[in-house]
Amino acid sequence: ILPSTTLANVNVEVNENLTLVDTPGILDESNIINYLEPDDLKKVMPRSEIRTISYQIRTKQTIFVDKFLRLDCEMYNNLTLYFSNKLNIERTFGKSDNLLDLKRYDLIVFENQDIVINGLGFIKVTHSGKITLYTLPDVQVFTRTALI
């Protein structure tokens, strides 16, 4: 079970006397959900199994995840995005001025790491490199060893 993905209680029967219950978690201050309007919250929160989207990056490209995230990748990489199916995801080639008013993060990522945007989702990165990311202020962004 992946963090921040539980939609409802999940019961796991260990034996006849013990059942573990995985419940939706508690939100912390750095979670994007704290900063969204109700209509945006409906788009961000997954209601069904997430369908991944993968991109092979060959030249400078920008990926937009609705109005919540901008990701600039300047070198070869393979990215797999794990976000709600209701979010509009677009890829552009070349320069764009969209979403530059969001908070900027300059990340150095390593082979087989995830970039996590707290409460929004994550991106699996297969090759080392520099990625510039923009998202809402006060939302935690971090890298971790890939889960998948």
Side-chain angles (χ1 to χ4, degrees), residues 3 5 16 18 26 37 61 70 77 82 92 106 112:
T5 61
E16 64 183 44
L18 179 63
I26 298 172
E37 298 296 324
Q61 296 179 30
R70 172 191 172 128
N77 217 321
Y82 296 82
T92 64
D106 291 309
N112 294 317

Side-chain angles (χ1 to χ4, degrees), residues 28-104:
D28 58 59
E29 290 180 13
S30 65
N31 193 304
I32 198 168
I33 292 171
N34 293 315
Y35 307 101
L36 300 179
E37 298 296 324
D39 287 343
D40 291 333
L41 187 58
K42 289 176 186 175
K43 290 167 60 174
V44 168
M45 294 301 299
R47 299 279 182 228
S48 60
E49 184 175 336
I50 294 172
R51 290 184 310 270
T52 62
I53 299 174
S54 296
Y55 293 107
Q56 292 181 336
I57 307 296
R58 300 284 181 242
T59 61
K60 181 175 172 64
Q61 296 179 30
T62 298
I63 298 172
F64 296 99
V65 179
D66 225 289
K67 59 185 177 183
F68 310 113
L69 179 71
R70 172 191 172 128
L71 181 124
D72 294 339
C73 191
E74 297 192 22
M75 57 184 55
Y76 173 80
N77 217 321
N78 294 316
L79 307 176
T80 303
L81 284 61
Y82 296 82
F83 296 105
S84 169
N85 301 332
K86 293 183 180 181
L87 292 171
N88 182 33
I89 298 175
E90 294 181 37
R91 174 171 57 168
T92 64
F93 298 85
K95 197 167 186 151
S96 173
D97 293 329
N98 294 342
L99 301 183
L100 291 176
D101 57 331
L102 299 176
K103 183 175 178 183
R104 178 180 173 146

